[in-house]
Structures are given as C-alpha cells and as structure tokens.
Amino acid sequence: MSASLYVTPYNGTTDGADAGYSTGVKDLNQFYESGDFAWIITSAALVLLMVPGVGFFYSGLARRKSALSLIMLAMLSIAVVDFQWFFWGYSLTFSHTGSSFIGDLSNFGLMKTLAQPSVGSTKIPDILFCLYQGMFAAITPALAIGAAVDRARILPCIVFMFVWATIVYDPIAYWTWNPNGWSFVLGGLDFAGGTPVHISSGAAALAFSVMIGKRTGYAKSAGLPYRPHNVTHIVLGTVFLWVGWFGFNGGSALAANLRAVMACIVTHLAASVGGITWTLLDYRLEKKWSVVGFCSGAIAGLVAITPAAGFVTPWAAVVFGIVGSIGCNFATKLKFIMGVDEALDIFAVHGIGGIIGNLLTGIFAADYIAALDGFTSIPGGWINHNYIQLAYQIADCCAGFSYSFVLSCIILFVMNLIPGLSLRVPVEKEEMGVDDDQLGEFAYDYVELQRHTSDVLTGSPEMAGPASGRAGSSKSSEGPEKMV
C-alpha cells in the first residue's frame, strides 16, 4: 500500500481470505481514505443506473410489443446476478487464492469479506470492491439478453443469467482482473471490461441469436425491417449509460486520483467523437441527421474506450471514438453475411467494439498515464515501443470471445432440452407479442385500447356501441388489430 498521511498501513493477513480482524485494531476504517470510499460508492451507484439504461435503450430499438419485456429483463439481471454475486460469484472472481483460470470459494456467501485490502487495489477493502464489481457482473448479462427480443420466454432467460454469470462471466473476469489470472499474469491490459463485459456479452448475444433462431418473418437479404418504436427511449437509455460510464470507467481506477479523472476525460471524449462519427456515416446515405445513429455511435465510442480508459491520452481517445464508431457501424452488416437474426446489433456494438478497443489499447497504452494513480507501472503499448503488447491483447480477445460463444451455445443447448426451459415462445405468441404473452402488461396503456377498438374508430355509431364497453377485454380479442 502506498504511503499516506491519513491512513495506517494494513498489518493483517493478506495471503488468504480474512475479514481484517487479524490486524488487532478496533477501527478498521483507519486503513483507508474516506475520499476513495466516497468515489467508489458513488461509482457503484452510477454503474447500477446503467442497467435500466440498457433496458430503455433496447426497448426503444425494439418493436412496441416487446418493449416492456426488455426493460424487465434488464431489471431482472440486477436481481438475479446480485444474488449470484453474493452466493459465490464474488468468491469465484476475486478470491485472494485460486488457479490461473478461476477463484475458489474462500469468500463463499461473502464470508471473510470486509476490511482486507482487495485484490483489485489496496486502496479499497474487499467489501467495497465487492459492491462495485457486483454492478459490472449485473450489467453484463443485461447487455447480452437483449438478443432475446421478440421471441424468448422469461423463465429461461432468468436461468440463463444465473448460469452464464457463473460459468462464463466469472472465469473471464477472474483471468482478466485477478492477479492470479492467466491474462493478468501474461500482461494483458483491460482497464474496465473490454473482454469481461463487452466481448463476452457480444459473443453471448450472438450465441443466443444462433441458438434461438430467427424471428417469424425474417428474410435473409433484408432481415425483419421495422423502425425503432420509441426514439425517446433510446435517448433516455443513452443518457443513463453515458452518465453511468463515468462511474464505470472512472471508478475502475479504484481510488479518487488523477488517473480516475483522466479516465473520465477520455471516456467523455470518445463518446462525443463516436456519436458525431456515426451520425456522419448515416448522413452520407440518408441525408438525415439520425438521432438513433448519434446514440449508437456514442455507445460504440464508450465501448471502445472501456479497456483503455486508464491507459491512454486524450488525443488517443479521439482515435478510439472514430475507429470504434466506424468499426461498429460497418459491423452491423455482419449479421446478414452470417445469416443470423441478431436484432439489436449487440454483437456489432459490444463484441466488435470491445475487440477494437482491446486492440487499440495495445497500441496507445502509455505508461505515464497508468502511473497517474501514483503506483501502477506498466510497459505500455506501441507508443512505448512495447510491441508485444498487441499480441497479448489479441490473445485476450480470442480467448474471451471463443470461451463466451462456445459456453453460451452449450448452456442454451442444454437448457432447451430441459422440460420447462425451452427458450422460445410459440409462433402465435410471438405474433401477439412477448409483453402480452409473458408479462400480461404493456409499455403503454393506450396499446390495449388501440388494439381492440379498431371497429369503434372506423365503424358506425351503431357498430361502436356494443364494442365500446369492452375495450381491452378478452372477449374483444377475436379480431385484434395486428400489433407491431
């Protein structure tokens, strides 16, 4: 632990799980700065707000008959993964002992998880690190599960979140961020989740789309063309995500210091440049200033800068925003080449965007930026003439993507064989809408009125009379207007 005028050096057990009482002191707060506590607690809350942001973003992109289910799945990801994190997720990911691939259960049920310096940074204790990283664990399945749009049942999605967080997310996060992990030991650089969060969720979304199959009416050449049903929801989701990303990347410094500030600066800059770049790419085709394009580009820039936020200069962030946005924009065409109905372009933005960010980190990582926290030392990337770094980044990308994709396919294949866990709703329910079938509720109250009273709107007063009294009733569903 670096020296400080305000803290006492930690003198307890550090080579295994320990609550901190081995120090023999009464006040366990004396080992940590209150300013660091305040920043990381705030950052955890910011990352939590990103999860409903994902839900609103996906909801706006989708058709209105699936809008509420996507918000619900995002919220369920918080609840399901929070329990998984408490139960064994944190221990499997950030235990002080373990193999090169995954941790052990020495912190099972958060036992002995309190005041011992965390494996992430000696600046914060285990319990605070657990809180903060638990939000990362919650948002990652929420990103991936958007691939369920229009066709998946809710119960299998809940089971998938728990199993996937355990079998896929925890090992990838362990080998990336735990000092015992093979990628960490190798020298891979991933500041805030290029591989554990973005590449893994993008690969899982692609796997989900492959395993669940195409939506009804999908055409290989044109997909299933429809306009996003609520652009305002997309903007709202983008705002939640953009603001939350300050905690996502800035908080990953795991202390309140210059490195955290620099991470926030480059994050904001990459998002801004990414949004402008995607808007211009769309303008060249449609001659329209697309709001959806701007929001997509901002997210692409944020994804790309994530693994690099604590390693690169502001001028490099401009490159990340431009290249990340262009790469993700063109990657949206890959689903047609592969013949996969990946409806919300999660693979294109998070999978490809994460890969782009990881590779650019190998080029632009600077040792003097990492050192802004006062104690981190890295060899840097190509700008520090450390050319092997790009190879480490490629190895991390390939391992993370292939592991997530293959394991996600296996999980989904096995689930689909288990009675009660079949992934997909029947075709007639898909036509009706997942919100109606799985939730029995709708994103907008007026939807039911509009669906069941078309005869009132177009018929004569005599025809309208008997029907007007049962708008939204099950009896009136004999001839509903088709809902999109």
Side-chain angles (χ1 to χ4, degrees):
M1 181 180 290
S2 60
S4 172
L5 295 175
Y6 307 103
V7 300
T8 304
Y10 187 82
N11 62 343
T13 301
T14 57
D15 57 356
D18 179 71
Y21 296 116
S22 62
T23 59
V25 303
K26 292 183 178 180
D27 181 11
L28 295 173
N29 295 288
Q30 65 183 277
F31 303 116
Y32 305 102
E33 296 273 11
S34 58
D36 294 336
F37 268 53
W39 171 235
I40 303 306
I41 291 172
T42 302
S43 295
L46 288 171
V47 179
L48 175 61
L49 285 175
M50 293 174 70
V51 185
V54 171
F56 276 105
F57 191 91
Y58 287 171
S59 173
L61 285 174
R63 294 183 287 183
R64 64 180 181 177
K65 64 181 180 181
S66 299
L68 189 61
S69 63
L70 289 168
I71 297 174
M72 177 63 167
L73 286 171
M75 299 306 293
L76 282 171
S77 182
I78 297 174
V80 171
V81 179
D82 181 59
F83 173 76
Q84 186 270 353
W85 197 244
F86 150 78
F87 188 68
W88 59 23
Y90 177 73
S91 188
L92 291 174
T93 310
F94 292 114
S95 59
H96 291 257
T97 52
S99 67
S100 60
F101 180 75
I102 196 167
D104 54 33
L105 295 177
S106 57
N107 296 106
F108 177 80
L110 298 189
M111 66 179 179
K112 300 180 181 179
T113 304
L114 187 60
Q116 185 180 26
S118 69
V119 298
S121 171
T122 57
K123 294 287 189 179
I124 60 173
D126 274 337
I127 192 66
L128 180 54
F129 190 57
C130 173
L131 172 68
Y132 180 64
Q133 283 294 337
M135 304 307 172
F136 282 65
I139 196 174
T140 308
L143 292 170
I145 209 65
V149 62
D150 284 341
R151 54 202 149 157
R153 297 171 59 235
I154 298 295
L155 177 60
C157 289
I158 294 174
V159 174
F160 176 76
M161 289 176 191
F162 187 93
V163 176
W164 189 88
T166 301
I167 297 178
V168 178
Y169 178 81
D170 291 349
I172 295 177
Y174 176 88
W175 79 51
T176 302
W177 288 321
N178 194 302
N180 296 316
W182 68 262
S183 181
F184 190 99
V185 173
L186 180 68
L189 297 177
D190 193 333
F191 186 68
T195 300
V197 177
H198 297 299
I199 294 177
S200 70
S201 63
L206 181 63
F208 205 108
S209 300
V210 170
M211 298 303 293
I212 200 171
K214 298 178 178 67
R215 290 167 293 170
T216 303
Y218 184 89
K220 184 176 181 180
S221 59
L224 186 62
Y226 64 86
R227 298 178 70 86
H229 94 283
N230 192 323
V231 178
T232 303
H233 272 187
I234 298 173
V235 175
L236 179 64
T238 302
V239 170
F240 273 53
L241 287 165
W242 197 328
V243 173
W245 232 292
F246 279 77
F248 196 89
N249 286 356
S252 290
L254 300 178
N257 52 40
L258 282 174
R259 193 182 187 195
V261 178
M262 181 61 76
C264 291
I265 287 287
V266 299
T267 297
H268 192 47
L269 185 57
S272 301
V273 174
I276 294 170
T277 301
W278 195 303
T279 303
L280 293 175
L281 288 172
D282 282 358
Y283 185 83
R284 88 187 197 282
L285 299 175
E286 304 289 340
K287 298 299 184 286
K288 302 289 184 182
W289 300 97
S290 171
V291 176
V292 176
F294 177 82
C295 293
S296 299
I299 300 302
L302 289 165
V303 169
I305 198 64
T306 292
F311 301 120
V312 300
T313 58
W315 67 263
V318 175
V319 179
F320 276 77
I322 294 172
V323 177
S325 188
I326 293 174
C328 293
N329 181 285
F330 285 100
T332 60
K333 311 304 179 187
L334 291 176
K335 61 186 177 185
F336 301 113
I337 297 174
M338 296 184 293
V340 176
D341 183 11
E342 209 276 275
L344 302 182
D345 291 320
I346 302 165
F347 164 68
V349 174
H350 293 277
I352 300 301
I355 291 172
I356 291 171
N358 265 13
L359 299 183
L360 290 178
T361 300
I363 297 173
F364 293 102
D367 56 357
Y368 53 89
I369 297 296
L372 288 175
D373 60 9
F375 57 88
T376 298
S377 176
I378 63 169
W382 281 17
I383 65 171
N384 286 128
H385 307 292
N386 180 37
Y387 301 109
I388 193 63
Q389 189 61 50
L390 184 59
Y392 297 156
Q393 302 301 111
I394 293 173
D396 189 65
C397 288
C398 293
F401 185 89
S402 58
Y403 182 83
S404 178
F405 181 80
V406 172
L407 267 292
S408 298
C409 287
I410 293 173
I411 294 168
L412 292 165
F413 177 79
V414 172
M415 283 178 55
N416 212 32
L417 299 177
I418 299 173
L421 292 182
S422 58
L423 302 176
R424 189 160 182 153
V425 299
V427 174
E428 62 273 13
K429 302 296 185 182
E430 183 181 341
E431 286 292 320
M432 181 174 65
V434 175
D435 288 359
D436 197 350
D437 176 55
Q438 294 290 297
L439 306 183
E441 297 169 338
F442 305 92
Y444 316 98
D445 289 338
Y446 73 81
V447 168
E448 272 297 278
L449 179 66
Q450 194 171 42
R451 290 181 68 203
H452 295 295
T453 59
S454 57
D455 55 338
V456 177
L457 298 176
T458 60
S460 64
E462 292 78 17
M463 294 173 61
S468 62
R470 57 176 194 268
S473 69
S474 59
K475 194 173 180 182
S476 65
S477 63
E478 295 170 358
E481 178 184 340
K482 185 174 181 181
M483 180 180 179
V484 298

